[in-house]
Amino acid sequence: MKEIVLDTETTGLSVKDGHRIVEIGCIELENLIPTKKVFHCYLNPERKVSESALKVHGYTDEFLSDKKKFIDIADEFLKFIDGKKIVIHNAEFDIGHLNNELSLIKKGKISSANVIDTLEIARNKYPGSGNSLDALCKRFRVDNSRREKHTALIDCELLSKVYINLIDQK
C-alpha cells in the first residue's frame, strides 16, 4: 500500500484572509517505508508572507519571489498524490489550503476520504495530552533536533516516523 506523507507551509493561517501556500513537501511510503520518491517545491504565493508565518518557517517575500506559482506545479503534484492515501498532521489546515489553491485554478478538490489525519488519531489515542508534532516526536523518541523552523520536508520525515508509532507498526 502506498501513502503520501504531506505538509505545507503558508503565508498565514486562513484562506479566508487570502493566505496561500509557499511550500509543499511530500514523501511516498510503501508499506510504511519511505520509497525515496519525494515531491517538494517552494512557491511564489503572489502575496506577502505574514509576520507570524515568517517566524514559523523563515521564508521571506524576497526568497519566494522567483519561485514557481501553484498553477505551474499543480498537475505534477496531483499526479504524485493520485490514488494514494495522504497522511497529514492537522489535515483540515493543509487540505483547506490545497483545495483553495486548486479552486483558484479551476481544478477538482482533494477528497477528505483519501486523507489520514494523524492529529485526529493522536487526539483519540491520547486525549488531553499535547498532540503537536513536536509533542508526538518527544512521546515516541523521534529525534527532531534538525527542526529549528517548520519546513515541509523535515516535517514530513518526522511525521512519517510518528505515524508508524501512532498506528503501532514500529
Side-chain angles (χ1 to χ4, degrees):
M1 178 179 64
K2 289 188 180 175
E3 296 167 306
I4 300 294
V5 178
L6 181 148
D7 188 48
T8 64
E9 298 302 333
T10 63
T11 60
L13 292 177
S14 176
V15 295
K16 291 183 181 95
D17 296 332
H19 287 292
R20 305 279 304 272
I21 295 175
V22 299
E23 183 185 23
I24 301 173
C26 301
I27 295 174
E28 183 185 73
L29 305 178
E30 187 165 7
N31 300 318
L32 302 174
I33 298 166
T35 65
K36 307 254 188 276
K37 288 185 182 170
V38 171
F39 178 90
H40 179 254
C41 61
Y42 298 105
L43 297 169
N44 177 342
E46 304 178 81
R47 64 154 292 152
K48 297 261 183 234
V49 174
S50 71
E51 285 298 317
S52 55
L54 183 62
K55 287 176 187 161
V56 171
H57 55 60
Y59 303 139
T60 64
D61 296 325
E62 183 181 14
F63 171 75
L64 298 168
S65 66
D66 65 346
K67 306 302 182 249
K68 291 181 178 179
K69 296 181 174 109
F70 185 82
I71 194 168
D72 301 320
I73 61 91
D75 290 336
E76 183 185 355
F77 168 70
L78 291 170
K79 186 177 173 189
F80 190 83
I81 66 169
D82 186 46
K84 298 167 191 142
K85 286 283 185 191
I86 305 168
V87 178
I88 305 174
H89 196 73
N90 192 9
E92 189 178 333
F93 178 84
D94 297 271
I95 294 298
H97 278 276
L98 287 165
N99 282 340
N100 178 62
E101 296 287 350
L102 290 164
S103 71
L104 291 172
I105 60 170
K106 313 278 188 273
K107 296 242 182 216
K109 293 184 173 189
I110 297 167
S111 167
S112 59
N114 292 332
V115 176
I116 298 166
D117 188 346
T118 55
L119 179 59
E120 202 174 291
I121 294 169
R123 283 178 175 159
N124 289 331
K125 207 166 184 176
Y126 309 109
S129 294
N131 290 311
S132 68
L133 186 54
D134 283 332
L136 292 170
C137 284
K138 189 174 183 178
R139 173 184 292 276
F140 297 126
R141 295 185 183 93
V142 172
D143 179 9
N144 65 349
S145 59
R146 288 180 39 220
R147 190 183 196 223
E148 293 169 27
K149 295 268 187 195
H150 289 244
T151 63
L153 271 185
I154 288 175
D155 287 3
C156 285
E157 288 171 22
L158 295 173
L159 183 56
S160 67
K161 293 171 184 168
V162 163
Y163 174 56
I164 290 164
N165 282 278
L166 266 178
I167 60 171
D168 295 323
Q169 298 295 316
K170 52 185 177 289

